Amino acid sequence: MENGNQTELYLSEQVVVLCTCALSFLGSSLIILTYIIWSDLRTTPRKLLVYLSVSDWLSAVSYAFGVWRVFRTDSPDCVAQGAISTFSNTSSFFWTVAIAVYLYVFIVRSSQRVADSLVLPFHLVSWGVPLIITVTAVILNKIGYDASEVSVGWCWVRIHAPDRVLWMLLTGKIWEFLAYLTLPVIYILIKRHIHKAHMALSEYRPILANRRPSYSFSSMADMKLTLIPIIFIALRIWSTVRFILLLADSPVRQNPVLVTLHGIGNTSQGAANCIMFVLFTQPIRNRLCTALCCCGSKCREEVQSSHNATQRLLPGQGSQTQRDEDSTSLVRTDR
C-alpha cells in the first residue's frame, strides 16, 4: 500500500457524519439519563447498557472532534483524539459482547446469580483490556495520523507505522471480527431457548383472546433479539470492508459512498441503541412522553391504553407479562 496516499474527505461527508455523531451523543445521553432518573429501571442488564452507552458517548464525541478537525499531521490533539476513540470503540465491542453473554447466562442457563457474578469480570475486561491496548499503542507511538485510509477524518493507527496492520487488528479490528462471530451465535441460542419455552408453555395454556398483550411483548423481545446482531453488523461492516480493501491496496476504499457509510456506521451505535432500547420500549417511551408532554392528549391515551390492557389480564398472567416486557427492555440492555 502507498504510505503517501490519502483519502479526500468532502464537506458533505463531514456534515453527514457530524450529524450521526450528534444523534449518537443524544441517544447515549438519553439512555444514561433515563437510568439515573427512574430508579426502578436500574436492573443489572440496563446497567450494562449504560456502561455501553458511556463508551458510545465517548466514541461519538471523539469521532465528532476528529471529523470536524480533519487532521493532516501527527499533532498532539490528533494523538489524544485517536487514543480516546480507540479506547471507547474497543470498549464498546467488549460491552456489546458482555451484554449478550449476560443475557445468555440469565435466560438460557436460568441463573441470575451466576449472571450477576459476571459483572465484575465484565468491568475488568471491557475497561481494562482497551485501556492496556490504548496506553501501549500511545507509548509505542502507534496512534496518530492515518490519512483517513481506514477512518473518516479522525486519527487512529499511524499510516506510516511499519506494523500498522498488526496494530489496527489489536486496537479494534480483531475484536470487531470476534463480535461478528459471537453475537449472532449467542442471540440465536437465546431465541431458540425462548421459542422452546413458549412452545412448552403453550401446551398447558388455553388459547385466550386477552393473552394478546403478553404475545405482543414476547414478539417485541423476539424482534429485538433478531435485530441486535443484524444492526451491529450492518453498522460496522463498512469499516471492515475498507480495512480489507486497504490490505488489498484497492483504491475502492476511497470511494465517497463507502467512506460516508463507514462514517455513519461507526458513529451511529449510540443512536441505534437509543431507538431500540428507549424509543421502542413502551414503558420508557410512555414515561418520556408523559414527562415531556410532547403528545398532549394522544400521549395520555397511549399510557391509559397500556394500563387498561395490563388490567384486563387474567389472574396469574400479569407477572408473566411483566417478565416478558422485562425481557423486551432487557433486550433493551442487550445489544
Side-chain angles (χ1 to χ4, degrees), residues 39-75:
S39 59
D40 58 314
L41 296 180
R42 296 172 192 169
T43 61
T44 300
R46 183 151 284 267
K47 186 184 298 183
L48 297 180
L49 177 62
V50 167
Y51 299 143
L52 172 62
S53 298
V54 170
S55 296
D56 291 335
W57 188 93
L58 283 174
S59 292
V61 171
S62 60
Y63 283 147
F65 181 70
V67 175
W68 173 67
R69 281 293 309 274
V70 188
F71 295 102
R72 305 292 182 185
T73 60
D74 287 319
S75 58

Side-chain angles (χ1 to χ4, degrees), residues 165-192:
V165 174
L166 172 63
W167 282 98
M168 286 177 180
L169 289 170
L170 289 175
T171 57
K173 291 305 168 188
I174 191 171
W175 315 115
E176 191 174 64
F177 292 145
L178 290 174
Y180 289 157
L181 296 174
T182 57
L183 289 177
V185 171
I186 292 175
Y187 283 115
I188 287 173
L189 292 175
I190 295 174
K191 281 171 59 69
R192 286 184 59 189

Side-chain angles (χ1 to χ4, degrees), residues 7-252:
T7 300
E8 183 178 358
L9 191 64
Y10 298 101
L11 178 60
S12 59
E13 296 169 352
Q14 286 181 269
V15 171
V16 170
V17 177
L18 283 172
C19 287
T20 57
C21 286
L23 290 175
S24 279
F25 172 85
L26 293 174
S28 299
S29 299
L30 186 58
I31 291 174
I32 295 170
L33 285 175
T34 55
Y35 180 85
I36 294 173
I37 293 172
W38 292 306
S39 59
D40 58 314
L41 296 180
R42 296 172 192 169
T43 61
T44 300
R46 183 151 284 267
K47 186 184 298 183
L48 297 180
L49 177 62
V50 167
Y51 299 143
L52 172 62
S53 298
V54 170
S55 296
D56 291 335
W57 188 93
L58 283 174
S59 292
V61 171
S62 60
Y63 283 147
F65 181 70
V67 175
W68 173 67
R69 281 293 309 274
V70 188
F71 295 102
R72 305 292 182 185
T73 60
D74 287 319
S75 58
D77 53 346
C78 168
V79 175
Q81 181 273 314
I84 294 173
S85 62
T86 297
F87 167 77
S88 57
N89 194 49
T90 307
S91 177
S92 179
F93 292 147
F94 279 101
W95 279 116
T96 299
V97 175
I99 292 173
V101 172
Y102 180 94
L103 290 176
Y104 175 81
V105 175
F106 183 83
I107 296 173
V108 179
R109 298 302 179 185
S110 302
S111 178
Q112 182 176 356
R113 182 183 60 82
V114 175
D116 289 344
S117 69
L118 294 173
V119 174
L120 179 57
F122 287 160
H123 277 289
L124 295 176
V125 173
S126 300
W127 300 125
V129 173
L131 182 62
I132 292 172
I133 292 173
T134 303
V135 170
T136 303
V138 172
I139 292 174
L140 296 178
N141 197 29
K142 304 300 180 182
I143 301 295
Y145 174 64
D146 74 344
S148 292
E149 290 293 81
V150 197
S151 70
V152 187
W154 56 78
C155 292
W156 187 31
V157 175
R158 291 176 63 246
I159 196 65
H160 297 299
D163 52 354
R164 57 187 170 274
V165 174
L166 172 63
W167 282 98
M168 286 177 180
L169 289 170
L170 289 175
T171 57
K173 291 305 168 188
I174 191 171
W175 315 115
E176 191 174 64
F177 292 145
L178 290 174
Y180 289 157
L181 296 174
T182 57
L183 289 177
V185 171
I186 292 175
Y187 283 115
I188 287 173
L189 292 175
I190 295 174
K191 281 171 59 69
R192 286 184 59 189
H193 175 82
I194 292 176
H195 288 167
K196 288 180 179 179
H198 277 242
M199 288 178 64
L201 287 173
S202 66
E203 296 180 5
Y204 302 97
R205 289 179 179 175
I207 300 176
L208 298 172
N210 55 6
R211 279 195 61 221
R212 198 170 180 179
S214 177
Y215 175 78
S216 175
F217 294 149
S218 299
S219 298
M220 178 62 73
D222 185 73
M223 182 185 73
K224 289 183 179 181
L225 285 170
T226 302
L227 289 178
I228 288 165
I230 291 176
I231 290 176
F232 177 84
I233 294 174
L235 292 178
R236 295 289 182 171
I237 195 65
W238 310 110
S239 170
T240 304
V241 169
R242 289 193 71 205
F243 174 69
I244 294 173
L245 292 173
L246 177 69
L247 297 182
D249 198 17
S250 171
V252 178

